[in-house]
Amino acid sequence: MAEFLAGIGKNVILMTAITAWFTAQVLKTITAYWRHGAFNAERLVGAGGMPSSHTALVVSLAVGLALREGLESDLFAVSVILAGIVMYDAAGVRRAAGKQAKVINKLVREMRVEHTVRETRLKELLGHTPLEVLGGAVHGSVIAYAFYIFYR
């Protein structure tokens, strides 16, 4: 097991992606605290918010592979396609689901006033705005470049 963990720790591309995800989650928590004036531990692992940690992860993977393997690499091509899908999903499908949850929550609140429905809260912060996705992409690129410089 120790050999396995040591091997993973030596994988610079994997460590780049994990670091980008983790630091984006921390930044997201700080950003949420700054906006709302209260610490919310759920932001450390939750979806949505600025910057997009999913985007940071896949973009750092793609940039890390581009820097290490080159733009003509098959691995880079696969990582770019993966990043595109994740970013589209974050800003599109998951964002729409969050908007729907917001409307449903409003309806439940209104019906609760009439005492006809018990309130069940849906998670509204599922996706990202395009700016949040861009923030994740920039963050992932910076982390990948830092790892490239440090481990060159």
Side-chain angles (χ1 to χ4, degrees), residues 34-54:
W34 177 68
R35 288 183 75 192
H36 304 290
F39 175 74
N40 181 356
E42 190 271 337
R43 294 288 73 220
L44 285 169
V45 293
M50 174 64 139
S52 166
S53 57
H54 290 95

Side-chain angles (χ1 to χ4, degrees), residues 45-149:
V45 293
M50 174 64 139
S52 166
S53 57
H54 290 95
T55 300
L57 184 139
V58 294
V59 169
S60 70
L61 177 67
V63 171
L65 284 169
L67 293 169
R68 185 172 185 156
E69 305 292 331
L71 296 176
E72 63 284 341
S73 160
D74 293 340
L75 290 174
F76 172 69
V78 171
S79 67
V80 166
I81 298 301
L82 173 67
I85 291 168
V86 169
M87 292 164 64
Y88 175 81
D89 180 64
V93 177
R94 286 180 36 230
R95 183 81 176 153
K99 287 180 179 181
Q100 290 173 358
K102 196 171 198 169
V103 170
I104 293 168
N105 284 336
K106 184 178 181 214
L107 288 170
V108 169
R109 256 190 322 273
E110 290 171 358
M111 293 178 79
R112 189 169 167 245
V113 170
E114 299 170 12
H115 303 290
T116 57
V117 175
R118 287 186 3 197
E119 185 168 359
T120 302
R121 297 285 303 160
L122 300 174
K123 184 167 174 47
E124 296 176 10
L125 191 55
L126 297 172
H128 296 281
T129 65
L131 182 62
E132 291 169 346
V133 171
L134 177 63
V138 169
H139 180 75
S141 297
V142 168
I143 295 294
Y145 188 70
F147 267 75
Y148 173 73
I149 295 299

Side-chain angles (χ1 to χ4, degrees), residues 6-58:
I8 287 177
K10 291 179 183 175
N11 187 324
V12 176
I13 300 298
L14 181 60
M15 290 297 103
T16 299
I18 291 170
T19 301
W21 172 83
F22 178 76
T23 56
Q25 287 297 131
V26 170
L27 285 171
K28 184 185 301 190
T29 305
I30 292 167
T31 303
Y33 177 80
W34 177 68
R35 288 183 75 192
H36 304 290
F39 175 74
N40 181 356
E42 190 271 337
R43 294 288 73 220
L44 285 169
V45 293
M50 174 64 139
S52 166
S53 57
H54 290 95
T55 300
L57 184 139
V58 294

